[in-house]
Amino acid sequence: MSGQVLPCSPQEIGTLFLFEKLTPEQLGRLCCDGQVEQFEAGPVYTEGDPATCFYVMIEGTVVLSRRVGGDDVEVARTSQRGVYTGAMQAYIGDRVQQVYLNSMRVTEQTRFFVLPAETFAAIMSEWFPMAVHLLEGLFFGQKSSQLAISQRERLLALGSLSAGLTHELNNPAAAAVRATSTLRERVAKMRHKLRVISSGPYSREALANLIDIQERTAERVAKAPTLSPLEASDREDALTDWLDDHGIMQAWQIAPTFVQAGLDIDWLDQVAAAVDEDVLQAAVGWLSYTVETELLMTEIEDSTTRISNLVGAAKQYSQLDRAPYQVADVHELLDSTLLMLGAKTGARIKVVQDYDRTLPKIPAYPAELNQVWTNLIDNAVSAINSTGGEGTLTVRTALVRDQLMVEFRDTGPGVPQEIRGRIFDPFFTTKPVGEGTGLGLDISWRIVVNKHHGTLQVESVPGDTRFQVLLPLTAADNETPEEPA
């Protein structure tokens, strides 16, 4: 948008703090190459458009805003003479895409000194060559450092996740190996017991009864109820007494196994009624091996299922086999991340998942959202650990103003008010030296705001810190997510 062109006075622009040290000749050149423009209340330029001009306000009021999601968020409002905006990085040239980084509007009749971007770049290089070199070095140096440390941050996170995943996989894998070894022993004993029974003086009817009892016992094991420690102890005592009363050897070893399988005195009475007294010892031993093999197979199934779930979570977390931009279920992403970080949260941190399962799927970059969840959970765990390592992490989802909100709430010490405005800045960290790069929240902010057009905000008091991610429910006009297979 162009304003009304007015005469340019070197003396007037020389009163602006940006130009107050320039010589009369330099001020004259500025007025020769630039111009004064007057704008009525309304927009001047729009965020994302090519940055063609450098603006310095002479008088009036300007409002700067950034586009966040579907809203324009005001970031600055001022009437101070000499404030400047627009093509402020024109001196870098084509090495960086030259677009307006914000939108500017004026709320009243406002005059600017306007300099074309190419002219601004040429004057900067001619009048302040050393300053331009320093500014370029600062800009590209910080960008290079940020990229290098960002990659390092990702590698550290990957290493931490890999270590946690290895630990989580090792437990069920070791349990499955141990159960398989024990199962082999029990099956061998069952074969031996079967040989003893088949060679004994048992009738065909007695053997049929044993097989029938075995089948029904196996079914009962699969439906075994969960008992409290006190209930289990009482039932063990009762079963031990029953077995002793019926002359069953090693009753103290058999009773706990029967209790774990859900067997009780009524069941043993049915067994005793179904077989002859001289067969009862063999029948109980046979059932004991049956119960043990069923329990061991259940343990192996649980262990391998746990491994399968962990592998599935790792696959869901990495999103390696899926489209980068797709319609995704946020709850699946959160669950996979929490499972991957299970070793980090540990047993002392209580994790509460307060999900609104009625929320729809949203267009997103799932792998990058998983990194956001990882960073926010990691910060919450660090905060809780700084106060002794015990606390609660609550992950909540809800619908807020037509946006999907994901909230991470921890019971740590909180974020002090004086630094709350800086926590999303690159390289700013409150962690001890060596424990944080200061890029976790910066990366998260860029993923949420720049890639997903959402909002990342924090509310904090001691004992209650909440990081809230707000994501739009629909894709931007120029983006089309892929539907998951």
Side-chain angles (χ1 to χ4, degrees):
M1 177 179 176
S2 298
Q4 178 186 0
V5 178
L6 301 176
C8 179
S9 167
Q11 291 76 22
E12 183 179 39
I13 65 172
T15 63
L16 304 175
F17 65 83
L18 197 62
F19 304 138
E20 60 185 2
K21 298 297 183 180
L22 299 183
T23 64
E25 291 77 13
Q26 291 173 321
L27 293 173
R29 180 177 173 184
L30 288 178
C31 270
C32 180
D33 292 341
Q35 61 189 20
V36 172
E37 294 186 25
Q38 180 171 285
F39 292 83
E40 301 299 325
V44 178
Y45 64 74
T46 303
E47 178 182 354
D49 288 348
T52 57
C53 295
F54 176 70
Y55 295 85
V56 185
M57 190 179 74
I58 300 174
E59 63 177 355
T61 301
V62 299
V63 176
L64 300 181
S65 61
R66 292 290 305 272
R67 192 72 173 171
V68 179
D71 303 319
D72 287 317
V73 179
E74 183 176 316
V75 295
R77 179 187 293 259
T78 182
S79 299
Q80 181 183 355
R81 296 184 73 248
V83 294
Y84 53 91
T85 185
M88 295 186 295
Q89 296 176 344
Y91 57 85
I92 296 176
D94 295 336
R95 287 175 290 176
V96 173
Q97 185 181 14
Q98 297 295 332
V99 296
Y100 291 120
L101 301 180
N102 50 44
S103 296
M104 180 172 72
R105 62 185 176 89
V106 296
T107 59
E108 59 180 326
Q109 193 177 75
T110 302
R111 286 193 302 139
F112 293 95
F113 172 71
V114 183
L115 201 58
E118 298 83 357
T119 305
F120 174 58
I123 288 177
M124 284 287 291
S125 298
E126 179 182 342
W127 291 355
F128 313 106
M130 183 175 178
V132 169
H133 286 306
L134 290 173
L135 289 171
E136 287 179 344
L138 178 64
F139 178 83
F140 289 109
Q142 186 180 36
K143 197 169 184 179
S144 177
S145 297
Q146 186 172 348
L147 178 61
I149 295 179
S150 174
Q151 292 173 340
R152 177 66 174 170
E153 177 105 348
R154 291 172 186 264
L155 286 174
L156 288 173
L158 180 60
S160 177
L161 286 172
S162 298
L165 181 60
T166 302
H167 174 77
E168 291 292 320
L169 285 171
N170 181 66
N171 290 336
V177 171
R178 183 171 58 251
T180 302
S181 176
T182 307
L183 179 62
R184 183 177 288 110
E185 296 177 6
R186 296 298 182 268
V187 170
K189 289 183 178 180
M190 282 187 69
R191 290 198 300 266
H192 175 71
K193 180 67 71 174
L194 178 61
R195 185 163 53 249
V196 171
I197 292 175
S198 62
S199 61
Y202 305 119
S203 65
R204 181 183 297 272
E205 182 181 357
L207 290 176
N209 285 339
L210 279 177
I211 298 300
D212 180 62
I213 292 171
Q214 182 189 38
E215 292 294 331
R216 288 188 286 132
T217 301
E219 293 176 2
R220 187 152 182 147
V221 172
K223 303 175 182 177
T226 301
L227 302 177
S228 69
L230 183 59
E231 290 173 332
S233 177
D234 290 342
R235 185 172 291 188
E236 282 183 23
D237 292 340
L239 289 182
T240 301
D241 292 341
W242 189 97
L243 294 170
D244 286 337
D245 292 342
H246 289 75
I248 306 299
M249 295 183 294
Q250 297 180 320
W252 60 275
Q253 286 184 328
I254 297 175
T257 303
F258 281 3
V259 170
Q260 189 177 356
L263 305 185
D264 53 21
I265 290 179
D266 290 340
W267 180 256
L268 291 180
D269 286 337
Q270 294 178 40
V271 173
V275 299
D276 297 334
E277 186 176 349
D278 58 339
V279 182
L280 184 59
Q281 174 70 49
V284 170
W286 176 257
L287 293 180
S288 176
Y289 290 139
T290 300
V291 167
E292 287 183 346
T293 56
E294 289 294 324
L295 292 175
L296 287 168
M297 286 189 289
T298 299
E299 184 178 349
I300 293 171
E301 181 182 20
D302 290 343
S303 299
T304 53
T305 300
R306 171 72 173 163
I307 293 172
S308 178
N309 289 340
L310 284 167
V311 173
K315 189 176 180 181
Q316 168 76 8
Y317 180 85
S318 64
Q319 296 283 317
L320 291 178
D321 61 341
R322 306 190 182 191
Y325 189 58
Q326 60 173 284
V327 177
D329 185 342
V330 168
H331 301 113
E332 291 180 358
L333 305 181
L334 290 169
D335 287 340
S336 66
T337 304
L338 287 170
L339 189 56
M340 293 290 289
L341 296 175
K344 180 166 288 190
T345 54
R348 301 181 66 190
I349 297 178
K350 180 182 179 182
V351 178
V352 177
Q353 293 161 273
D354 182 11
Y355 295 163
D356 179 357
R357 295 286 186 178
T358 64
L359 293 175
K361 295 181 179 181
I362 63 170
Y365 294 87
E368 300 201 27
L369 281 184
N370 281 339
Q371 185 174 4
V372 174
W373 313 151
T374 300
N375 292 338
L376 296 180
I377 292 172
D378 184 64
N379 282 351
V381 170
S382 296
I384 294 173
N385 286 336
S386 70
T387 59
E390 290 189 355
T392 301
L393 167 64
T394 302
V395 182
R396 183 170 72 94
T397 61
L399 187 65
V400 177
R401 298 188 303 275
D402 295 328
Q403 290 182 304
L404 188 150
M405 183 190 74
V406 181
E407 180 182 78
F408 298 85
R409 178 182 180 185
D410 69 74
T411 55
V415 181
Q417 179 66 39
E418 58 270 19
I419 66 170
R420 205 168 297 168
R422 301 174 56 198
I423 59 175
F424 296 112
D425 292 348
F427 308 110
F428 179 80
T429 180
T430 59
K431 296 178 181 178
V433 176
E435 293 187 15
T437 61
L439 284 178
L441 289 178
D442 173 59
I443 292 171
S444 299
W445 191 90
R446 293 174 184 274
I447 291 173
V448 172
V449 176
N450 294 345
K451 294 209 72 169
H452 290 84
H453 314 295
T455 304
L456 176 57
Q457 59 196 27
V458 61
E459 299 175 359
S460 183
V461 295
D464 186 4
T465 297
R466 307 183 186 197
F467 280 89
Q468 297 173 335
V469 177
L470 295 167
L471 300 169
L473 300 179
T474 56
D477 294 338
N478 60 341
E479 296 177 311
T480 304
E482 181 175 308
E483 290 289 341

